[in-house]
Amino acid sequence: MKKHTPGTPPGAGAGRYPIRAVSKLTGVSIDTLRAWERRHAVVTPTRDDRGRLYSDADVDRLRLLHAALSHGYSIGRLAPLTNDELRRLPGEPGGASAETASEPSRTGIDTAALAAALQSYDASAIDREMARLAAVLRPLELLRDALMPTLVQVGADWHRRRANTAQEHLMSSTVRSILGAFLRVYSRPNLPVRLLFATPAGDRHEIGTLGAALLAASSGLGVAYLGPDLPSGDLIESVRGARAQVLVLGLTRVSASKAVERELRAIVRGLPADVELWVGGRGAGHYASLLSRRGRTFGDYTVYQEALVHLGGQIG
């Protein structure tokens, strides 16, 4: 029987993550995980013929421990504490929010060179800097910690008139180009399509969805990326033709739209019962009541990456 650990309710979840995936999700190395379990019993994973399997509760606890260590606490002091006690530690970022505490720690990514290249309209320099970041970051980190924050900042600067339309278009087109290139690099031939990606009719912003397709491909899953602004009938026909297991939609409009709602209702009605519907993006929250009856919504790439692991993906 699995041993109870502080802050983990009995029966808090079946083991589902292998140790390599847990290391990627939490930022704790495999050797450190094994040492923590052996010496401090911080979590006690289940086992099967493939080895250790960790639950969602195990992953949450390991993230809390990793975050607390970054503030100078020792594992010997942290191990006996409950999750609530870990969140209340002085200096622990989870003290204000359990949601924040469950996030892996972030490493600051210097994007100053990107900003400088954009100011001088140097497309070649932007390409070089993005290629450099892609060489040193995993796909999730590249998206979550570098490319998307940069796009958000450029958009904010455009609204404040600190950047012009040409600069915003230059950065968007360059990011779209590099994500498309990496999607082609990571896509593997002869894999059955498991996830199909698009945005519904009326939503023309594709970069976030393209990034989601890249993450799935880099996880070793078969993907088909269809692009933006597709009518519901075409999407349903494509899902059936590809025999996909999951339809992933990006919704980016910051306000609700009756037209998009009609498209989503048609997708919910027409999607085969054995196909999952996943939806992400800034606009997903506007349709939560509609989507919750049929699918899942994702607030960020980290949670989405965990869902890919559940589907059988391996984090690269």
Side-chain angles (χ1 to χ4, degrees):
M1 180 179 292
K2 184 169 179 176
K3 181 180 177 182
H4 175 59
T5 54
T8 305
R16 61 180 69 188
Y17 302 101
I19 192 169
R20 185 174 298 277
V22 171
S23 178
K24 302 297 186 184
L25 290 169
T26 63
V28 181
S29 72
I30 292 175
D31 288 341
T32 299
L33 278 172
R34 289 173 174 155
W36 285 3
E37 293 163 23
R38 184 175 62 252
R39 298 172 188 170
H40 305 287
V42 295
V43 294
T44 307
T46 57
R47 291 176 180 270
D48 67 3
D49 55 358
R50 296 175 295 169
R52 293 171 167 84
L53 288 176
Y54 297 76
S55 69
D56 290 312
D58 292 333
V59 171
D60 288 343
R61 179 164 178 78
L62 288 167
R63 285 173 170 171
L64 285 170
L65 291 166
H66 186 252
L69 283 171
S70 69
H71 289 272
Y73 297 99
S74 69
I75 189 61
R77 177 184 173 186
L78 298 172
L81 301 181
T82 67
N83 288 356
D84 286 341
E85 289 170 334
L86 288 171
R87 293 186 181 101
R88 290 195 296 268
L89 286 174
E92 167 55 37
S97 168
E99 180 181 358
T100 304
S102 68
E103 286 291 309
S105 61
R106 301 284 193 263
T107 300
I109 306 298
D110 184 3
T111 57
L114 271 180
L118 182 63
Q119 286 297 318
S120 59
Y121 300 89
D122 190 338
S124 295
I126 294 174
D127 279 338
R128 287 195 303 272
E129 183 59 17
M130 287 187 180
R132 183 191 71 80
L133 290 170
V136 299
L137 299 174
R138 297 185 179 93
L140 175 60
E141 295 166 335
L142 178 67
L143 286 166
R144 183 192 63 198
D145 302 338
L147 298 187
M148 294 306 166
T150 298
L151 282 174
V152 169
Q153 184 60 54
V154 171
D157 288 345
W158 178 80
H159 280 291
R160 299 184 187 113
R161 299 188 177 182
R162 296 175 182 171
N164 62 37
T165 302
Q167 289 172 318
E168 193 272 336
H169 284 188
L170 174 59
M171 183 60 74
S172 296
S173 64
T174 306
V175 170
R176 185 184 300 109
S177 176
I178 199 166
L179 290 180
F182 278 113
L183 176 60
R184 291 189 290 274
V185 167
Y186 279 110
S187 294
R188 301 180 187 180
N190 305 319
L191 278 181
V193 173
R194 302 190 66 183
L195 301 100
L196 188 147
F197 296 81
T199 73
D203 198 319
R204 298 180 177 85
H205 299 284
E206 64 177 315
I207 291 179
T209 310
L210 187 55
L214 167 60
L215 283 183
S218 70
S219 299
L221 299 171
V223 308
Y225 179 71
L226 302 183
D229 197 18
L230 288 181
S232 56
D234 290 348
L235 284 173
I236 292 168
E237 181 181 348
S238 299
V239 167
R240 288 173 174 156
R243 297 182 180 178
Q245 294 174 268
V246 184
L247 172 61
V248 184
L249 295 178
L251 296 174
T252 61
R253 294 175 64 102
V254 295
S255 59
S257 162
K258 290 293 186 182
V260 172
E261 182 177 343
R262 285 194 297 271
E263 288 294 299
L264 291 177
R265 289 189 183 279
I267 291 169
V268 168
R269 286 194 305 268
L271 199 63
D274 59 345
V275 176
E276 295 185 45
L277 177 62
W278 294 2
V279 183
R282 293 178 299 171
H286 296 306
Y287 312 98
S289 59
L290 167 62
L291 298 170
S292 63
R293 299 194 296 269
R294 182 61 176 83
R296 300 181 58 184
T297 59
F298 296 92
D300 58 53
Y301 281 126
T302 302
V303 178
Y304 167 73
Q305 178 83 84
E306 293 172 5
L308 294 176
V309 173
H310 289 192
L311 199 63
Q314 301 294 319
I315 302 176

